[in-house]
Amino acid sequence: MQDLKTPCYVIDEDKLEKNLQILRGVMDRTGCKILLAQKAFSNYGVYPLVAKYLAGATASGLFEARLCKEEMPRNMENHIFSPAFREEDFQEICLICDHIVFNSMKQLEKFGERAKMARMQVGLRINPEKSTQEGHAIYDPCAPGSRLGTTLAEFEAGFLANPKLLELLDGLHFHTLCEQDSDALEETWKVFQEKFGKYLKDMKWVNFGGGHHITREDYDIARLEKVIAQARETYGLMVYLEPGEAIALNAGSLFTTVLEVQEKHLYGDGKDPAGSMDILILDTSAACHMPDVIEMPYRPPLKNSGEEGEKNHTYRLGGPTCLSGDVIGVYSFDEEVKEGDVLEFQDMAIYSMVKNNTFNGMPLPSIYRKKGEKITLWKEFSYEDFKCRL
Ligand SMILES: *Cc1c(COP(=O)(O)O)cnc(C)c1O
């Protein structure tokens, strides 16, 4: 670990494989199919490992679908969903995808026939209008004003206007959860059936989307499997799940070096307690390398640290960018932290590398892969990666 060039991500393949084994268990016991939602984690270097356990991948658009086509083995399913597809992408999508999910009746009308002619299975994303999460409206596709999914009113009006659209559909899809347990799925599925149950008999499959925190220690897998079994038995449906987070949960860290210790305690006058807390400037940035810390927001776990004041030495940790809010959080340590020390943020495999940016000309962290005790460099970035995007 000492020789790592920071900032860098280290993907833990053993942990990834443990997650995949848990997911494979759900597939084996229920007959459902689980797909990798690539938007959360697209490290195609480990796609062969993912493919040993899962049924395929899902894409948010053409590029992710291409990545699946190029980097997953041939027998993997390649699903795609987008709120609106682009005409110029559609032909290629027809060539490389086997399942397509439309967001609206209008999109289904525009592309549905062509998708069928290309022998894709066609689905429609539903908005069951059942929120099961509070606080994170930006992660709630059932929040008022949502653009994601077709409501029952829109669905029925669409078929009234054009009854042929129903014949195009092989499946229905909903994605409404975020880091949730299976009780939220159960509640949502109940409402979904009340509203759309009468249409499910005509379908081949239902896709429960992502947001299932299946590989979290306290997740109730038995309840998930009960819901899947009920869907199969009642309607004869194949059930798809497309988690992102659950696949690489806790399967990677971000290592960073302390560049500067700002000794605020020497100058604080006590009037502003926050102002007299020492600050660590790191060679990583929340805004560039872990944007969910600011967007979500959340406080990432940091190895061998405690909450503010829990251990002897408390610091505010921030990045070297111009953004005042580029702060990762407040953490405490047993020992005083020194310039040059390396810190490890955990659970950094998901929604990190896929969201990185080079704001302020920040370098992109290198990516290493760890298997057993062996760590190998997989990707390194340079000034050219910054320049070529501008
Ligand atoms: C984000 C998303 C997923 C994956 O969600 P996770 O929270 O990472 O499990 C799956 N399907 C769709 C449609 C999504 O938008």
Side-chain angles (χ1 to χ4, degrees):
M1 294 289 180
Q2 262 63 48
D3 301 332
L4 295 178
K5 222 177 103 197
T6 66
C8 66
Y9 298 100
V10 178
I11 301 171
D12 181 343
E13 292 190 37
D14 300 315
K15 175 63 180 156
L16 182 64
E17 188 156 18
K18 282 207 185 92
N19 289 344
L20 291 165
Q21 281 162 351
I22 291 170
L23 297 167
R24 181 55 186 243
V26 174
M27 282 174 54
D28 288 344
R29 286 186 297 273
T30 64
C32 79
K33 289 185 178 175
I34 301 184
L35 311 169
L36 162 69
Q38 293 175 91
K39 72 161 195 234
F41 180 76
S42 323
N43 282 82
Y44 54 87
V46 296
Y47 277 13
L49 178 64
V50 172
K52 266 172 66 184
Y53 294 94
L54 303 188
T58 182
S60 314
L62 176 60
F63 286 179
E64 285 184 357
R66 264 184 71 174
L67 194 64
C68 171
K69 179 75 181 172
E70 287 176 12
E71 300 294 338
M72 286 283 189
R74 263 163 178 271
N75 61 336
M76 292 285 104
E77 292 187 16
N78 195 357
H79 294 230
I80 189 168
F81 161 80
S82 174
F85 289 99
R86 291 142 53 103
E87 186 60 53
E88 60 265 41
D89 292 350
F90 201 72
Q91 202 174 350
E92 194 177 350
I93 289 171
C94 285
L95 288 174
I96 62 179
C97 294
D98 41 71
H99 289 68
I100 187 164
V101 174
F102 295 108
N103 190 51
S104 67
M105 299 304 281
K106 261 173 92 173
Q107 285 275 300
L108 178 62
E109 193 153 30
K110 185 170 176 189
F111 294 110
E113 295 254 10
R114 274 188 280 164
K116 282 265 85 71
M117 299 236 289
R119 282 187 269 162
M120 275 193 281
Q121 298 223 2
V122 171
L124 182 71
R125 178 166 174 173
I126 299 298
N127 174 359
E129 298 175 274
K130 170 68 187 165
S131 288
T132 52
Q133 45 182 314
E134 285 147 33
H136 287 153
I138 110 163
Y139 291 104
D140 183 4
C142 300
S146 173
R147 71 188 188 295
L148 300 170
T150 302
T151 63
L152 183 62
E154 290 164 346
F155 186 76
E156 294 190 328
F159 289 134
L160 211 57
N162 183 356
K164 277 200 202 136
L165 293 179
L166 192 55
E167 291 161 29
L168 291 172
L169 286 179
D170 298 294
L172 297 179
H173 173 290
F174 65 87
H175 168 74
T176 65
L177 308 183
C178 179
E179 298 187 339
Q180 280 167 287
D181 209 324
S182 45
D183 55 338
L185 171 67
E186 193 173 47
E187 265 178 68
T188 305
W189 176 235
K190 182 167 172 289
V191 171
F192 190 92
Q193 290 175 87
E194 284 161 14
K195 292 184 172 168
F196 293 91
K198 59 176 178 289
Y199 301 104
L200 287 171
K201 292 247 181 333
D202 299 321
M203 301 296 156
K204 295 193 185 79
W205 47 265
V206 63
N207 187 324
F208 289 165
H212 318 280
H213 237 188
I214 302 169
T215 50
R216 194 177 67 202
E217 239 161 55
D218 59 350
Y219 183 92
D220 184 353
I221 291 181
R223 191 194 298 258
L224 167 70
E225 293 183 355
K226 225 175 64 193
V227 175
I228 296 171
Q230 186 270 342
R232 284 177 70 92
E233 283 156 21
T234 312
Y235 307 100
L237 293 168
M238 167 57 71
V239 174
Y240 284 101
L241 304 176
E242 48 180 33
E245 281 218 19
I247 285 156
L249 194 66
N250 294 313
S253 294
L254 172 57
F255 289 82
T256 177
T257 301
V258 177
L259 298 176
E260 158 90 1
V261 181
Q262 290 188 348
E263 298 180 317
K264 297 288 189 192
H265 73 276
L266 297 177
Y267 311 101
D269 58 7
K271 285 193 193 131
D272 173 10
S276 54
M277 186 189 294
D278 287 357
I279 295 175
L280 304 180
I281 309 285
L282 309 175
D283 66 358
T284 189
S285 151
C288 300
H289 305 152
M290 42 183 122
D292 272 358
V293 165
I294 295 171
E295 279 174 35
M296 187 128 185
Y298 82 107
R299 179 181 181 277
L302 177 65
K303 196 167 176 185
N304 298 329
S305 77
E307 299 289 326
E308 175 170 357
E310 188 185 328
K311 295 175 182 265
N312 277 344
H313 303 272
T314 292
Y315 302 87
R316 171 170 287 109
L317 275 54
T321 71
C322 70
L323 179 72
S324 314
D326 192 356
V327 169
I328 299 153
V330 175
Y331 297 84
S332 65
F333 303 82
D334 288 325
E335 309 285 333
E336 206 174 299
V337 178
K338 297 190 188 62
E339 288 165 18
D341 284 358
V342 173
L343 306 179
E344 176 182 353
F345 288 102
Q346 295 163 312
D347 196 17
M348 278 291 162
I350 44 179
Y351 293 107
S352 51
M353 293 162 255
V354 289
K355 284 189 146 193
N356 278 354
N357 63 73
T358 56
F359 182 48
N360 278 229
M362 279 291 291
L364 294 168
S366 316
I367 302 173
Y368 292 83
R369 288 163 56 180
K370 176 170 179 287
K371 200 165 168 48
E373 289 309 303
K374 196 164 160 244
I375 300 180
T376 39
L377 180 65
W378 184 56
K379 278 240 163 149
E380 216 171 1
F381 305 94
S382 67
Y383 167 72
E384 294 307 324
D385 295 286
F386 160 64
K387 188 180 178 189
C388 76
R389 309 200 315 170
L390 302 172

